[in-house]
Amino acid sequence: MNILVQKFGGTSVDRPEHRALAARKVIQAREANFNPVVVVSAIGRAGAPYATDTLVKVLRDIDPQVPPAPREMDMMMACGEIISTVVFAHTLQTLGFKAVALSGGQAGIITDDVFGNARILEIRPNYLLELIAQGYIPVVCGFQGTTDPLASAEHGAITTLGRGGSDTTASALGVALGAVGVEIYTDVDGVKTADPSMVSAASTLDVCSYEEVAEIAHQGAKVVHPRAAEIAMDHNIPLWVKSTFSDKVGTRISSDAPTSTDARRLTGITHTGKLVYIRLEIENFEHKQQVEREVYRMMAKAGINIFLVTFSPTSLSFCVPRSRYPIARDLLDGMVVPVVGSASNIEGKQATYYIFKFSEGLDLAYSVQRPLLAGIEKFADIVDVPATVIESCTMVSVIAAGHRTVPGIISTIFDYLANAGIAVYQTADSEMSISFLIPESEVDRAVRLLHQRLFENQT
Amino acid sequence: MAFPTQTEPISGHQNVSFERERGVYAIEVMSGVSHAVIQVGEDAGRTGRISRVLSALAGAGVPVFLIKMHRDVVTLAFAGADTHTAIQTLSDNRLTADVRGELALVVVRAASMRDLHGIMVNIADALFDAGARLHETGDSHNSVQCLIEESRTDAAVESLCKKFELSPDAVSLSTLATGGAR
């Protein structure tokens, strides 16, 4: 049916003149003999009257002490896209086109019942296909679906897909409808080699692999949500990233782009996250693994994601998001991990109690708990686990497919940073990227420097 | 023209799995890995020595990965086949290194790893149960990479599969050839 899915983000539909430009893209697709299926996000970004954040605030303001139930929260959050969809469908109707607004559920998007971060289970495209066959332009709410109306629990409840949900909707609809492609319209004209607000010389990539764009997105660039890229990749459907506000061709994302199996390829520089780096000194190598597990367990129970995990024989280091650091510190400070040995030590003690201690002023729980352990020192060793902290870190990443097969890339980048006097606290690497943990105050300089050396000097 | 009515129950829809499963979906094992712990000191020359380590190995054509910076050492991994070259290169550059071979990189894959919490404790528990000591670890948005002794690979994979309820089909094995890890 020559279906083309076109997704428009919040800034593409926030004002009448922007909606007119977005509508023009849809009409151009129709004139080029495509059958467009439109997906829209909520109107505007935080602060705008119908933006998702604004709607959520209405609920939260009822009583800040009582968090809204996830089910009702999803119903509220879905309103932003419903309003946007109706407004956009009506815009197309006023221009003389047959358009119909559809909620996610009406478009056949069936999800699980994980409110706030639902996963698409299936799409029932019959109704959409019938509308298209009758000449309608369906305008579908992004970011939302519904639980199965026939399911015994939560039947037909509105769900939201979590971050990047509208991109996910577009990709999934593209797959379900057998579309020839999915166009993601935004306010930049494609996938950039760096954040253009930071690097004026950032260029637009003509073509990108799914893996690269997923990596770029995961490492902080807000172009296409990685879930959308993964769906497109798994089903081999071409994605385009284009600007609503220009006629530039944009970036094509497809499987025939260079991938990690090809030779070294540098795609971009990204930066992400306000991070805190925590280092724990655990001197007894024999007990270290058990103590580490309790750290992981504590972080997991508190819902804190840890990353950049690093071992040495006597230490464990990791990053936590800065927003979660106070909780992490409160949990770790004064935490006691008992390790019972299979045999008593030279002093006849059969256990070791490890107690975590942050630097002075941050060790309130330690200072209370440590004296309480004095009574068992006859029977057990009490060992401090000192914690040191580097606050205000961030991660700068170079997206470099194939770097692990080519010696020298990491060395080169490290030298660029070191020679510029930018401290590198830690590194991480995967098949597709190399990341450097640096002071947050240096992020602008690091991104500009790496872009200049790795991209601008190449052209 | 009236809108078509939606037929219920809907039949004939495409039976497609749209999104990857939440959580861990695959385990990849790459044997033939070596790991080096290289002294770089804590003084003002530390950064320069780290740079020397990386550039020396790059100059010798040894791709490295899992690079980690510690207080007085830098650690990294490379293909076991490059071990001799790596040791010689480090020695030629007057760098003190402790190199351990016969390691395996066990890569645990999950969708949106950094949106999940608790993966690390489950991996650590599984490896502990298997008697596999972690020599180093790395993580990305879709993987946790664990460097363990090759001899514990089978037990580790079995334990990880049990922990994450994965079938043997979810496990892939390979050997790291010279030229680096993919």
Side-chain angles (χ1 to χ4, degrees):
Chain A
M1 294 178 77
N2 215 27
I3 292 169
L4 180 66
V5 176
Q6 298 179 299
K7 178 258 169 178
F8 296 95
T11 54
S12 299
V13 293
D14 59 350
R15 285 188 266 167
E17 59 269 31
H18 289 172
R19 284 194 287 277
L21 289 170
R24 187 168 148 256
K25 300 291 182 189
V26 178
I27 294 164
Q28 284 173 338
R30 173 59 76 84
E31 288 171 351
N33 290 322
F34 291 107
N35 281 307
V37 172
V38 179
V39 175
V40 291
S41 301
I43 292 173
R45 289 183 176 157
Y50 306 118
T52 305
D53 289 346
T54 310
L55 297 169
V56 168
K57 189 170 179 300
V58 171
L59 272 192
R60 291 209 166 120
D61 283 352
I62 293 171
D63 184 344
Q65 305 301 318
V66 182
R71 182 181 177 282
E72 279 63 42
M73 180 72 105
D74 268 14
M75 286 186 80
M76 185 57 131
M77 289 203 293
C79 294
E81 273 71 17
I82 291 172
I83 293 166
S84 182
T85 299
V86 173
V87 169
F88 199 80
H90 185 64
T91 301
L92 289 171
Q93 288 164 3
T94 61
L95 294 169
F97 290 85
K98 291 202 304 183
V100 55
L102 299 170
S103 68
Q106 288 171 320
I109 298 170
I110 307 298
T111 73
D112 62 19
D113 61 1
V114 180
F115 294 107
N117 191 24
R119 179 174 165 271
I120 297 175
L121 298 176
E122 62 174 293
I123 293 180
R124 301 169 177 173
N126 296 16
Y127 187 49
L128 272 177
L129 291 170
E130 289 176 54
L131 286 169
I132 294 165
Q134 293 188 22
Y136 284 94
I137 299 173
V139 183
V140 180
C141 296
F143 179 63
Q144 63 175 256
T146 176
T147 57
D148 192 336
L150 304 178
S152 55
E154 295 294 355
H155 51 276
I158 291 174
T159 52
T160 64
L161 305 181
R163 282 177 289 166
S166 291
D167 289 353
T168 305
T169 301
S171 260
L173 279 178
V175 174
L177 297 169
V180 294
V182 174
E183 295 180 336
I184 307 286
Y185 282 94
T186 178
D187 50 8
V188 292
D189 59 14
V191 179
K192 297 283 191 180
T193 50
D195 181 346
S197 69
M198 201 175 271
V199 181
S200 57
S203 55
T204 305
L205 298 166
D206 296 331
V207 64
C208 208
S209 71
Y210 295 116
E211 293 93 339
E212 284 169 331
V213 81
E215 189 77 23
I216 288 170
H218 275 296
Q219 301 289 8
K222 298 178 183 71
V223 185
V224 179
H225 195 273
R227 278 168 80 186
E230 283 163 4
I231 291 170
M233 174 164 55
D234 291 348
H235 300 282
N236 199 25
I237 185 166
L239 276 181
W240 289 84
V241 177
K242 297 184 174 191
S243 169
T244 307
F245 312 114
S246 84
D247 288 324
K248 289 184 179 168
V249 67
T251 302
R252 180 172 61 87
I253 301 154
S254 71
S255 57
D256 58 10
T259 68
S260 57
T261 57
D262 297 305
R264 156 189 170 170
R265 174 180 147 89
L266 298 175
T267 309
I269 315 288
T270 61
H271 60 97
T272 186
K274 293 174 181 291
L275 305 171
V276 174
Y277 195 50
I278 299 173
R279 178 189 172 94
L280 306 169
E281 306 286 345
I282 309 165
E283 294 201 349
N284 186 328
F285 184 69
E286 290 306 310
H287 293 167
K288 185 168 170 279
Q289 199 170 6
Q290 292 173 72
V291 178
E292 285 164 357
R293 287 163 69 210
E294 296 314 313
V295 174
Y296 301 144
R297 204 178 315 283
M298 186 65 85
M299 294 297 107
K301 276 185 183 168
I304 298 171
N305 301 314
I306 62 171
F307 41 95
L308 275 178
V309 179
T310 303
F311 294 113
S312 82
T314 58
S315 72
L316 166 69
S317 311
F318 56 88
C319 274
V320 297
R322 193 182 309 156
S323 60
R324 309 292 281 162
Y325 166 62
I327 300 170
R329 190 190 62 213
D330 285 352
L331 288 169
L332 290 173
D333 174 35
M335 183 170 96
V336 177
V337 178
V339 179
V340 179
S342 56
S344 57
N345 68 11
I346 196 164
E347 295 169 354
K349 296 176 181 177
Q350 293 190 336
T352 305
Y353 281 62
Y354 291 88
I355 179 165
F356 290 65
K357 180 186 188 311
F358 281 76
S359 58
E360 204 169 329
L362 300 174
D363 60 347
L364 178 64
Y366 170 87
S367 62
V368 172
Q369 305 237 88
R370 180 61 184 86
L372 299 177
L373 295 175
I376 60 168
E377 280 184 278
K378 280 185 186 169
F379 319 104
D381 286 324
I382 313 296
V383 178
D384 282 356
V385 177
T388 51
V389 173
I390 304 175
E391 294 192 58
S392 303
C393 304
T394 195
M395 204 152 64
V396 169
S397 301
V398 177
I399 312 303
H403 77 89
R404 280 183 169 180
T405 61
V406 183
I409 297 181
I410 295 179
S411 167
T412 301
I413 299 170
F414 182 85
D415 280 352
Y416 287 152
L417 294 172
N419 292 339
I422 297 172
V424 175
Y425 300 134
Q426 194 49 273
T427 68
D429 58 273
S430 70
E431 297 91 332
M432 298 293 295
S433 67
I434 309 156
S435 300
F436 298 84
L437 188 72
I438 63 168
E440 194 181 351
S441 57
E442 297 280 23
V443 65
D444 281 27
R445 205 157 69 89
V447 170
R448 286 198 198 104
L449 171 76
L450 293 180
H451 193 272
Q452 185 196 21
R453 295 296 176 91
L454 297 171
F455 290 88
E456 294 162 48
N457 289 354
Q458 309 292 311
T459 55
Chain B
M1 185 181 291
F3 291 165
T5 53
Q6 190 163 4
T7 49
E8 291 285 359
I10 293 171
S11 59
H13 64 267
Q14 294 183 25
N15 189 16
V16 178
S17 174
F18 286 94
E19 295 206 64
R20 296 177 184 181
E21 294 288 339
R22 284 196 176 87
V24 174
Y25 62 84
I27 293 171
E28 297 162 14
V29 180
M30 201 183 294
S31 55
V33 180
S34 289
H35 187 243
V37 179
I38 304 154
Q39 301 294 327
V40 291
E42 291 185 62
D43 58 14
R46 175 178 176 269
T47 301
R49 281 188 285 275
I50 294 173
S51 179
R52 207 163 91 222
V53 169
L54 297 175
S55 60
L57 291 170
V62 178
V64 296
F65 59 100
L66 222 58
I67 300 161
K68 296 290 179 183
M69 294 172 195
H70 305 274
R71 187 161 287 166
D72 58 351
V73 299
V74 61
T75 63
L76 45 84
F78 46 82
D82 289 329
T83 303
H84 177 74
T85 307
I87 291 173
Q88 190 62 50
T89 302
L90 294 169
S91 171
D92 290 348
N93 282 272
R94 299 188 306 281
L95 293 158
T96 306
D98 179 17
V99 178
R100 179 191 290 263
E102 297 183 342
L103 299 173
L105 192 68
V106 177
V107 182
V108 179
R109 295 234 175 250
S112 297
M113 182 78 80
R114 286 178 178 161
D115 289 339
L116 303 168
H117 36 261
I119 293 256
M120 201 64 210
V121 68
N122 284 326
I123 292 172
D125 282 350
L127 294 180
F128 184 81
D129 293 345
R133 181 172 285 283
L134 267 169
H135 288 274
E136 192 50 274
T137 181
D139 52 75
S140 71
H141 65 84
N142 67 352
S143 69
V144 172
Q145 305 146 53
C146 307
L147 199 57
I148 64 170
E149 276 123 20
E150 247 173 33
S151 60
R152 303 308 304 165
T153 302
D154 288 348
V157 168
E158 187 181 337
S159 183
L160 286 165
C161 284
K162 189 174 165 192
K163 178 69 78 178
F164 293 110
E165 299 177 349
L166 295 174
S167 72
D169 296 345
V171 180
S172 62
L173 307 172
S174 65
T175 301
L176 179 58
T178 184
R182 280 203 55 239

